[in-house]
């Protein structure tokens, strides 16, 4: 993983404004009793064990209440039968959830990673795509409280050899049917994967750890065009999304980033430049990440990109992007200055104060209802043994919360955000 050895920037003077937001852990009380399984919890032998998997809040049954889908992983050699499957929890109202995994047909085991949702057949029900190391799943919502996996019959399951991580639905050709982009992190083959300490990219601070991603075969992007009959056509090559090469793709999002009325794609990449695929309005895309300021940080350095969120944080009518990165680096806040051009203002915005965490999931949401979107980041290291390597680093680490001050700047209010943010 790329670490730029960035030092924490000094925090500005606190605004003194009251922060009315406090987070409380209520998962167990709410009925969300779930434990992730992802590789060896004590020491990771291969990079496949490191990342963990995704979560989605979604209203799958159209009752107006957000349900919860948790994607699970496995262990080398396989997890105990039935011990590690995805779990779907139906929102029962009043802060309670019920496990409907079996009833809904969502109890798949495997090395799960990401999830995205969209109505692929325009029947008013939310369908789901789940990414895996191996075959991916496209779950069609029956509208009767259950799903059917049509990954194979729809042509979207993949070749079974990829390690797919991210995905996003996008109507890139504006024909009214949702198409699908899938990101593959790297080409992982356990039979050929190097062991800890066997390669220059298999050390952390001089100690042997799992290898990767650098030194391992690169990943790829795959684009599926929706034919409108529950089948998809792979158009990766003719669409131009395979033109970018040599990257480790993690997370993807879609938004009209240049305000031309056509949806574009942005992909966060680990240890390689990120990718901005501008929609050419003719069924093709062109990677303009370097030209538009979205490939690197403000110093022109590659980063280990992880999570993504897009929103108009400064209320100027343009969509901005935030990206999380590995420890020893700052997150990005790419401000959209118009016509699809971005500038990284993370330091100026006050987001360079916590470089001592590995950052993962991220959200831009108005937490205090003041009309400006605040920033929430999830952290956690990738090496369980990191505390024995460097006592300044920890495997388990806190959530980070930043208040949007409304003047282009954020301030760290993590310590004021309750026990669940600690």
């Amino acid at each position: 993983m790329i670490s730029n050895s960035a030092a924490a920037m000094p925090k500005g003077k606190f605004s003194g404004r009251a922060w009315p937001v406090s987070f409380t852990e209520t998962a167990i009380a709410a009925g969300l009793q779930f434990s992730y399984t992802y590789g060896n919890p004590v020491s990771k032998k291969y990079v496949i064990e490191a990342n963990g998997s995704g979560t989605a809040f979604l209203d799958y049954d159209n009752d107006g209440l957000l349900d919860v889908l948790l994607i699970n992983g496995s262990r080398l050699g396989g997890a105990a039968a039935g011990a590690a499957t995805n779990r779907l929890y139906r929102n029962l109202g009043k802060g309670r959830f019920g496990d409907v995994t079996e009833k809904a047909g969502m109890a798949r085991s495997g090395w799960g990673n990401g999830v995205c949702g969209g109505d692929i057949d325009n029947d008013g029900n939310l369908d789901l795509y789940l990414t895996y190391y191996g075959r991916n799943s496209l779950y069609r919502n029956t509208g009767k409280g259950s799903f059917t996996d049509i990954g194979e019959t729809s042509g979207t399951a993949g070749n079974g050899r990829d390690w797919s991580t991210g995905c996003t639905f996008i109507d890139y050709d504006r024909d009214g049917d949702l198409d699908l982009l899938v990101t593959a992190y790297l080409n992982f083959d356990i039979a050929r994967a190097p062991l800890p300490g066997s390669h220059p990219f298999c050390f952390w601070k001089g100690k042997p750890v799992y290898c990767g991603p650098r030194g391992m075969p690169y990943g790829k992007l795959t684009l599926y065009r929706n034919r409108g009959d529950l089948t998809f056509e792979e158009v990766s090559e003719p669409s131009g999304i395979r033109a970018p090469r040599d990257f480790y793709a993690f997370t993807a999002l879609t938004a009209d980033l240049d305000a031309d009325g056509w949806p574009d794609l942005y992909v966060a990449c680990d240890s390689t430049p990120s990718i901005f695929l501008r929609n050419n309005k003719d069924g093709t895309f062109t990677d303009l990440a370097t030209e538009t300021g979205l490939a690197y940080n403000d110093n022109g350095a590659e980063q280990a990109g992880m999570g993504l969120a897009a929103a108009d944080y400064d209320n100027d009518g343009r969509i901005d992007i935030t990206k999380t990165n590995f420890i020893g680096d700052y997150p990005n806040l790419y401000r959209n200055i118009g016509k699809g051009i971005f500038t990284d203002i993370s330091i100026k915005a006050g987001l360079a104060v916590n470089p001592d965490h590995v950052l993962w999931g991220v959200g831009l949401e108005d937490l205090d209802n003041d009309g400006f979107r605040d920033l929430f980041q999830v952290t956690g290291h990738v090496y369980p043994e990191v505390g024995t390597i460097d006592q300044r680093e920890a495997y388990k680490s806190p959530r980070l919360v930043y208040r949007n001050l409304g003047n282009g700047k954020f301030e760290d209010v993590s310590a004021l955000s309750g026990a669940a943010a600690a």
Side-chain angles (χ1 to χ4, degrees), residues 23-91:
F23 292 95
T24 303
E25 174 59 72
T26 61
I28 300 301
L32 298 170
Q33 300 189 42
F34 176 85
S35 179
Y36 277 105
T37 298
Y38 227 91
N40 190 313
V42 177
S43 178
K44 310 293 186 182
K45 189 175 182 181
Y46 299 106
V47 66
I48 186 69
E49 302 179 80
N51 295 342
S53 47
T55 298
F57 286 86
L58 53 107
D59 182 8
Y60 81 94
D61 54 359
N62 291 332
D63 65 354
L65 300 172
L66 286 177
D67 313 297
V68 176
L69 175 64
L70 304 174
I71 313 303
N72 214 340
S74 188
R75 298 200 195 285
L76 295 174
T85 73
N86 303 324
R87 308 310 298 179
L88 178 63
Y89 294 90
R90 181 172 179 264
N91 193 329

Side-chain angles (χ1 to χ4, degrees), residues 379-399:
T379 79
H381 219 294
V382 295
Y383 309 124
E385 64 273 34
V386 70
T388 65
I389 298 174
D390 187 339
Q391 294 184 354
R392 296 169 297 178
E393 299 178 8
Y395 186 50
K396 296 181 180 180
S397 50
R399 273 61 60 192

Side-chain angles (χ1 to χ4, degrees), residues 19-266:
W19 176 243
V21 178
S22 181
F23 292 95
T24 303
E25 174 59 72
T26 61
I28 300 301
L32 298 170
Q33 300 189 42
F34 176 85
S35 179
Y36 277 105
T37 298
Y38 227 91
N40 190 313
V42 177
S43 178
K44 310 293 186 182
K45 189 175 182 181
Y46 299 106
V47 66
I48 186 69
E49 302 179 80
N51 295 342
S53 47
T55 298
F57 286 86
L58 53 107
D59 182 8
Y60 81 94
D61 54 359
N62 291 332
D63 65 354
L65 300 172
L66 286 177
D67 313 297
V68 176
L69 175 64
L70 304 174
I71 313 303
N72 214 340
S74 188
R75 298 200 195 285
L76 295 174
T85 73
N86 303 324
R87 308 310 298 179
L88 178 63
Y89 294 90
R90 181 172 179 264
N91 193 329
L92 306 176
K94 298 182 179 180
R96 294 287 300 171
F97 292 82
D99 189 338
V100 295
T101 309
E102 301 291 341
K103 178 182 177 181
M106 296 292 291
R108 177 180 170 179
S109 299
W111 290 93
N113 281 269
V115 54
C116 53
D119 185 1
I120 63 167
D121 50 3
N122 296 320
D123 66 351
N125 298 306
L126 186 67
D127 308 299
L128 300 169
Y129 190 80
L130 275 61
T131 61
Y132 282 84
Y133 172 44
R135 293 279 184 182
N136 299 323
S137 290
L138 176 59
Y139 285 101
R140 183 179 179 234
N141 192 328
T142 66
K144 300 176 182 179
S146 64
F147 294 83
T148 301
D149 187 355
I150 62 169
E152 296 290 346
T153 60
S154 68
T156 62
N159 60 23
R161 300 183 300 276
D162 292 330
W163 178 7
S164 301
T165 48
C167 60
T168 186
F169 285 103
I170 171 177
D171 184 9
Y172 78 95
D173 52 3
R174 300 201 316 186
D175 66 352
D177 295 311
L178 285 177
D179 312 299
L180 174 66
L181 178 83
V182 182
T183 65
Y185 182 49
L186 54 77
N187 186 347
F188 179 78
D189 181 353
I190 196 169
R192 301 186 209 177
L195 296 175
S198 64
H199 188 278
F201 298 118
C202 308
F203 291 86
W204 178 249
K205 298 191 173 181
K207 301 296 183 179
V209 293
Y210 69 78
C211 305
R214 287 207 161 186
M216 304 188 77
Y218 294 107
K220 65 182 181 183
L221 304 179
T222 302
L223 182 63
Y224 298 100
R225 182 180 177 273
N226 191 334
R227 294 190 180 104
D229 60 359
L230 298 180
T231 68
F232 291 73
E233 171 192 11
E234 188 192 326
V235 292
S236 306
E237 292 290 350
S239 69
I241 71 158
R242 286 276 171 87
R245 305 285 180 181
D246 302 341
F247 55 80
Y248 302 108
F250 233 130
T251 310
L253 62 77
T254 180
D256 183 7
L257 297 176
D258 55 2
D260 66 352
W262 291 75
D264 309 299
L265 291 161
Y266 184 63

Side-chain angles (χ1 to χ4, degrees), residues 11 19 21 23 354 375 377 398-403 411-422:
K11 294 183 179 181
W19 176 243
V21 178
F23 292 95
N354 291 302
L375 187 65
Q377 297 171 339
R399 273 61 60 192
L400 300 176
V401 186
Y402 296 90
R403 175 188 11 219
E411 65 179 359
D412 183 358
V413 291
S414 306
L416 305 177
S417 297

